[in-house]
Amino acid sequence: MSNSGVPRRVSRRSAIGTGLACVSSIGVLSGCQDTAATSLEQPAETVPRDARLRDLAARRGLKLGTAVQSRYLARQDNYVPVLTRDFDLLVPEYEAQWKIIDSRPGSGRYDNVGRILDFAEANDMAVRGHAPYWHGLQPDWLNATLASSPERAERLLSDRIAGIAGRYRGRVRSWDVLNEVIEPDDGRSDGLRRTAFLTAMGPGYIDLAFRAARAADPAARLVLNEYRTEWAWPQGRKRRDALLRLLEGLLSRGVPVDAVGVQGHLAPALDGYLNAGALGEFCREVAGMGLTLSVTELDARDTGLRGSRAERDQSVADAYARFLDVMLAQPALDAVLTWGFSDRYSWFTKFFPRADGQRVRGTLYDVDYVKKRSWFAVANALAGG
Ligand code: XIL
C-alpha cells in the first residue's frame, strides 16, 4: 500500500479547526466564497478565489466536467451559475441509461438527454455519453428476454448502441460504451463480470459493443469505464490485472477502444481506498497501449469518517488531492469529471448515507453552493505542477 504521505501541495494543517462561518450559511454565494477562501490557511500554491476550475484545467490541456440531471438545469438556485462557471464538459448522470430510455422495449424516452445536450451546446460545453450498457441500470424486460432468448442478445445490444450513439452522432465527445464489465468477485478466471450479455453470448459482447459504437459515431472517443481501479487490497489488484488483460485482447483483435475511464469514487474512511503507486502503474500501462485516460466520476465521501465536520472535510479534500496527484501526472489524461458538484444533489445522499444521519459532504460545494476544502484541493491540484 503506497498511500503514504500527503502530496506536496496539500497542507495537512490547512483549515482544520479554523472559522467555518460560511459553510452552512445560506444564499449569498460570492460573500460566502470570500469567507470560505480566507478562512483557509493558504497552502503554498493557492489559486485566486475567483478562479474557474475549467480555466485551470484548460491550462493543462484538460476538460473539466461534471455529471448533471436535466431537472436541475431548470432550477432557479445557484446550480446553473456554478455549473457554467466551473465546468466545460457535461455527462448525463443517469438519464441516458438503457432502463431510463427504454423502460419498455422501444419506448425511446430521449427527451431528457436531449435537454442536457441542448443546454451544453447553448453554453459552449462538450458532452460525454454514459452509458449504453451498464448492468446496474438495465431494463427489467431485458433480463427476461436475454434469459429466455439468448440468441437475441447480439441484435439487442447492437440496436441499443446504434440507437443512442447514432442519434447523437457528432454531438458527443466520448461514450462510456460499457461500464464496470470487470468483477473479480464473480469468480471467472478472466475477471469479467457475469452480466446478462456475458451469460447470453460470452465475452464477445464487449467486442461487439465497441464495434457497434464506432459504426454509430465514428468521431466519438470510445471508453471502457471502470470503478475501484485505485483500490488497494487484492480486489484492486485483480481488477487492474483483469482490465489490462481485457484491453490487450481487445486491441489485438482490432476492437476500437480509445480510452479507459477511471471513475474515482473515493472512500477515505476505508484504509485501502487508494493505492497511489498501483494506480499510477496501471495508468502508465494503459497509456503504453496507446490509450487515453479520463477521470470520469470523481467524488470522495465522508461516509464512515468520524471527527468534526472540519476534520472530515479535510480528509475528503486530501482524498481528492492524493488521487489527482496521481492522475494529473499522466500525460495521457484528457479530462477530469466529478460526479455532481454540490452536496445538495449528490448520489451519496441515497447510496452511501452516514450512520449519524448527517448529509454526506463528498462533492466540491456544500448544499448552499459554498466552496469547500475539496474545491480548493482540486483547484490547487489543477493549478500546480
Ligand atoms: C449512479 C447515479 O449517480 C444515480 O443517480 C443512479 O440512480 C445510479 O447510478 N458508477 C457509475 C454511475 O458508473 O452510473 C453511477 O451513477 C454511480 C456509480
Side-chain angles (χ1 to χ4, degrees):
M1 176 63 207
S2 62
N3 190 13
S4 59
V6 176
R8 189 171 48 85
R9 285 180 294 282
V10 180
S11 163
R12 257 267 170 232
R13 298 162 294 133
S14 61
I16 293 182
T18 55
L20 288 169
C22 197
V23 169
S24 61
S25 67
I26 45 162
V28 194
L29 186 62
S30 57
C32 284
Q33 282 174 315
D34 287 352
T35 310
T38 49
S39 73
L40 290 169
E41 184 183 329
Q42 305 292 298
E45 296 168 52
T46 300
V47 300
R49 67 189 57 157
D50 59 350
R52 301 163 63 150
L53 297 182
R54 57 188 284 177
D55 293 341
L56 298 171
R59 278 193 231 141
R60 312 176 71 113
L62 300 174
K63 288 270 181 199
L64 210 278
T66 196
V68 295
Q69 298 186 19
S70 60
R71 61 192 162 138
Y72 303 148
L73 300 174
R75 295 272 150 99
Q76 296 303 309
D77 64 5
N78 271 321
Y79 187 86
V80 167
V82 172
L83 176 66
T84 52
R85 179 180 171 73
D86 267 342
F87 302 96
D88 57 10
L89 174 61
L90 302 185
V91 60
E93 182 176 337
Y94 72 92
E95 286 162 295
Q97 296 281 3
W98 202 343
K99 184 171 188 156
I100 308 300
I101 303 280
D102 292 320
S103 56
R104 283 173 289 106
S107 51
R109 294 291 311 275
Y110 290 98
D111 13 340
N112 289 336
V113 179
R115 268 187 205 112
I116 292 171
L117 263 97
D118 291 346
F119 177 92
E121 287 162 5
N123 288 282
D124 204 20
M125 300 160 125
V127 174
R128 296 192 77 245
H130 175 86
Y133 179 65
W134 179 42
H135 66 279
L137 280 173
Q138 62 185 2
D140 298 334
W141 59 262
L142 180 69
N143 289 321
T145 305
L146 289 176
S148 61
S149 318
E151 74 285 355
R152 294 180 58 193
E154 284 191 23
R155 175 47 84 81
L156 283 164
L157 185 57
S158 54
D159 281 357
R160 155 69 175 160
I161 293 173
I164 190 154
R167 182 181 193 94
Y168 300 119
R169 183 185 181 113
R171 298 174 72 188
V172 173
R173 169 189 161 95
S174 62
W175 273 107
D176 291 335
V177 178
L178 296 174
N179 190 30
E180 303 179 355
V181 298
I182 306 290
E183 185 43 77
D185 288 350
D186 277 0
R188 288 175 54 98
S189 60
D190 58 11
L192 293 181
R193 181 185 297 278
R194 296 184 194 272
T195 63
F197 278 107
L198 185 115
T199 304
M201 57 181 281
Y205 89 93
I206 299 175
D207 300 40
L208 180 137
F210 278 87
R211 293 190 199 281
R214 179 66 94 227
D217 187 352
R221 185 169 286 169
L222 305 184
V223 184
L224 191 57
N225 201 40
E226 193 52 68
Y227 76 143
R228 298 181 178 173
T229 45
E230 69 282 350
W231 269 24
W233 304 300
Q235 211 216 59
R237 178 177 45 74
K238 286 183 196 162
R239 188 178 296 279
R240 288 184 290 274
D241 288 350
L243 188 47
L244 290 171
R245 266 183 284 134
L246 171 62
L247 290 165
E248 273 166 13
L250 292 171
L251 294 172
S252 74
R253 294 190 294 279
V255 177
V257 182
D258 302 314
V260 167
V262 173
Q263 289 188 3
H265 292 295
L266 308 177
L270 308 177
D271 265 353
Y273 80 95
L274 173 64
N275 183 334
L279 175 63
E281 183 52 33
F282 168 78
C283 289
R284 286 186 287 279
E285 294 209 31
V286 169
M289 295 179 188
L291 300 173
T292 299
L293 285 156
S294 306
V295 173
T296 50
E297 305 185 15
L298 181 58
D299 52 18
R301 54 187 179 266
D302 66 351
T303 315
L305 283 178
R306 294 162 196 272
S308 69
R309 191 168 65 183
E311 287 166 335
R312 285 186 265 124
D313 279 2
Q314 191 58 44
S315 297
V316 165
D318 287 349
Y320 275 94
R322 288 180 175 138
F323 178 80
L324 286 176
D325 199 48
V326 178
M327 298 309 298
L328 293 175
Q330 308 304 321
L333 189 74
D334 75 329
V336 174
L337 292 97
T338 61
W339 206 241
F341 57 90
S342 164
D343 296 334
R344 181 179 288 253
Y345 303 126
S346 168
W347 73 305
F348 284 157
T349 308
K350 178 171 162 200
F351 287 86
F352 293 95
R354 287 181 53 83
D356 62 9
Q358 290 186 50
R359 186 178 287 263
V360 181
R361 295 170 60 85
T363 70
L364 305 186
Y365 288 86
D366 78 0
V367 290
D368 299 312
Y369 302 99
V370 177
K371 291 173 180 173
K372 298 185 302 174
R373 291 149 201 243
S374 45
W375 186 94
F376 290 95
V378 171
N380 278 327
L382 290 168

